Amino acid sequence: MDVKPGRVSNTIRSSHEEEEDDAMMDLRRGPWTVEEDLALMNYIANHGEGRWNSLARCAGLKRTGKSCRLRWLNYLRPDVRRGNITLEEQLLILELHSRWGNRWSKIAQHLPGRTDNEIKNYWRTRVQKHAKQLKCDVNSKQFKDTMRYLWMPRLVERIQAAASSATASTAASSSITTTITTAPNPYHFNNNFQSTGAGHVALQQATLIGSNNDLAASYTTPENSSTGASSDSFGNQVSPVSELTDYYTTMSVNNNNPSPMEYFQAPNPHHQVGYRESMTSPSGYVFNQGGLNSHSFQAASAPEQNNNGQWGMDGGDFSDNLWNVEESDMWFLQQQLGNI
DNA sequence: AAGACGCTCAACCGCGCTCGT
DNA sequence: CACGAGCGCGGTTGAGCGTCT
């Protein structure tokens, strides 16, 4: 990659450090400086975004329009959300990716505040890592089945557990909102900018969803807003209901070994469904495939299981536990794969 | 303590689509 | 219709940092 040496990721360097580099070329590349960020933000605050090439010139930035657009969309926008991908977001990413594949921007549209870049990075670093650890290709049927039958139900279970904890604790009722509104971009925007920025609406929306404390029902899958079979923007057939739940239903009919997802109700295809409706009482399902039921599952010495039989959930902000819990996910998935 | 290794994520690149001329 | 500019998207890179040995 022909990037200037000394590139510093995640680090804002002073423009003084790079003046020598500037003399070498007209267009700057590499990490953005504080001055550049401020120039870009101020210009967009006054003139709006779009027409990126001319914007770059008019703002006095020695950057390509592409670079400015990327910096704005992925980092400087006021509604960009940073921090760990929550359980719900993970579930949604898995679900949407199972339907659309690597259509990152499309997936990102359903995760307020998350960028396609962030989701793409999450997929590559977390999901593909899991596939690698399970010794199967991320695009293989085996791994997709693992996601559908094991990983996603497990996420739902943990979300339910977290929701229960949140309900039990009045203090916890605000934890989800806190998570969602955590860490906007590092710069302070004045009130005028915030009130006029389009992103502010999205941020309010995200907060509203979180504060609803009804996470499963909060999700709006693309099918929620349309009825009947249709095709996506790439001409692929898109089921009116979740491909995921369709798959569960089909598999449970065709497979003598009932999948864990049998405990998820098949949705009415004519009914607009969210997760809450399509997945009833996931926390109650039994892993009876290969003779493993909830008792043997819970009795096993998996890491991170607490005294309540919950997984990595201690009643606190569940997003804090996310990364620790992932290790138990790997343990769990590997155990389950061994039984298939 | 220090070198090796692995992970994360901001940033870049190339391709293809859209739209105006 | 042809062409080019602008833009968006998906793939890839690599610096920095944390962890392991």
Side-chain angles (χ1 to χ4, degrees):
Chain A
M1 194 176 190
D2 52 349
V3 176
K4 290 185 300 182
R7 173 178 165 182
V8 181
S9 175
N10 295 339
T11 304
I12 304 296
R13 293 197 293 167
S14 161
S15 62
H16 300 298
E17 294 178 57
E18 300 186 0
E19 284 177 359
E20 290 180 9
D21 297 339
D22 292 355
M24 301 292 289
M25 59 183 76
D26 283 331
L27 287 177
R28 280 182 37 73
R29 294 163 68 185
W32 281 63
T33 65
V34 174
E35 289 83 357
E36 286 178 312
D37 281 346
L38 291 175
L40 180 57
M41 286 191 297
N42 285 333
Y43 188 89
I44 291 176
N46 291 324
H47 301 91
E49 55 183 281
R51 299 183 60 80
W52 294 102
N53 281 333
S54 61
L55 183 153
R57 284 194 304 272
C58 295
L61 291 162
K62 292 181 177 180
R63 295 274 183 174
T64 65
K66 270 186 167 185
S67 183
C68 293
R69 174 182 165 272
L70 206 65
R71 184 65 177 171
W72 173 252
L73 292 179
N74 288 343
Y75 199 81
L76 296 176
R77 266 190 316 163
D79 60 322
V80 167
R81 189 148 55 96
R82 252 177 279 286
N84 292 342
I85 304 285
T86 65
L87 294 173
E88 300 79 27
E89 288 173 322
Q90 286 185 72
L91 180 62
L92 195 53
I93 290 169
L94 295 181
E95 154 72 1
L96 295 180
H97 187 276
S98 73
R99 190 180 311 145
W100 293 327
N102 298 353
R103 319 307 304 189
W104 306 118
S105 63
K106 193 168 182 170
I107 293 171
Q109 289 172 4
H110 296 273
L111 287 99
R114 298 295 186 186
T115 67
D116 55 350
N117 211 29
E118 195 171 11
I119 293 169
K120 182 170 55 182
N121 282 333
Y122 164 76
W123 185 266
R124 290 187 59 81
T125 58
R126 310 307 209 297
V127 180
Q128 289 193 352
K129 182 185 78 175
H130 281 192
K132 191 177 178 181
Q133 287 176 316
L134 294 170
K135 293 182 171 61
C136 55
D137 186 88
V138 73
N139 293 318
S140 68
K141 185 177 184 301
Q142 184 191 18
F143 185 71
K144 287 177 179 176
D145 285 350
T146 303
M147 280 198 307
R148 286 166 174 159
Y149 296 146
L150 302 176
W151 195 353
M152 292 173 70
R154 189 147 150 65
L155 278 172
V156 172
E157 186 177 13
R158 280 160 45 191
I159 291 169
Q160 293 281 336
S164 299
S165 298
T167 303
S169 166
T170 53
S173 65
S174 62
S175 66
I176 299 161
T177 303
T178 302
T179 301
I180 287 176
T181 55
T182 294
N185 79 56
Y187 298 101
H188 171 74
F189 288 91
N190 60 37
N191 291 334
N192 179 54
F193 189 92
Q194 285 195 336
S195 63
T196 56
H200 189 52
V201 176
L203 184 60
Q204 288 176 325
Q205 214 167 15
T207 304
L208 184 63
I209 289 172
S211 61
N212 193 23
N213 199 24
D214 190 1
L215 300 168
S218 299
Y219 287 125
T220 303
T221 63
E223 286 70 29
N224 286 8
S225 57
S226 65
T227 56
S230 60
S231 55
D232 65 16
S233 59
F234 299 91
N236 301 319
Q237 279 296 312
V238 174
S239 163
V241 295
S242 166
E243 174 189 294
L244 182 67
T245 47
D246 272 351
Y247 200 83
Y248 302 149
T249 307
T250 304
M251 290 299 288
S252 65
V253 169
N254 296 338
N255 192 337
N256 288 333
N257 294 325
S259 79
M261 295 312 293
E262 280 194 328
Y263 295 86
F264 286 53
Q265 281 186 347
N268 179 345
H270 301 295
H271 188 189
Q272 296 180 358
V273 294
Y275 271 106
R276 174 59 55 85
E277 291 176 81
S278 61
M279 301 176 177
T280 54
S281 190
S283 59
Y285 68 67
V286 177
F287 290 91
N288 51 6
Q289 191 170 21
L292 182 67
N293 60 26
S294 61
H295 292 292
S296 59
F297 177 64
Q298 291 185 359
S301 57
E304 310 235 359
Q305 187 179 6
N306 65 21
N307 293 335
N308 299 323
Q310 293 175 324
W311 292 85
M313 299 304 164
D314 56 6
D317 185 349
F318 58 82
S319 67
D320 291 342
N321 296 313
L322 175 60
W323 309 114
N324 295 333
V325 170
E326 273 202 354
E327 290 310 308
S328 72
D329 271 347
M330 276 312 301
W331 176 90
F332 169 73
L333 293 177
Q334 285 169 338
Q335 292 295 313
Q336 292 295 300
L337 278 178
N339 290 321
I340 294 175

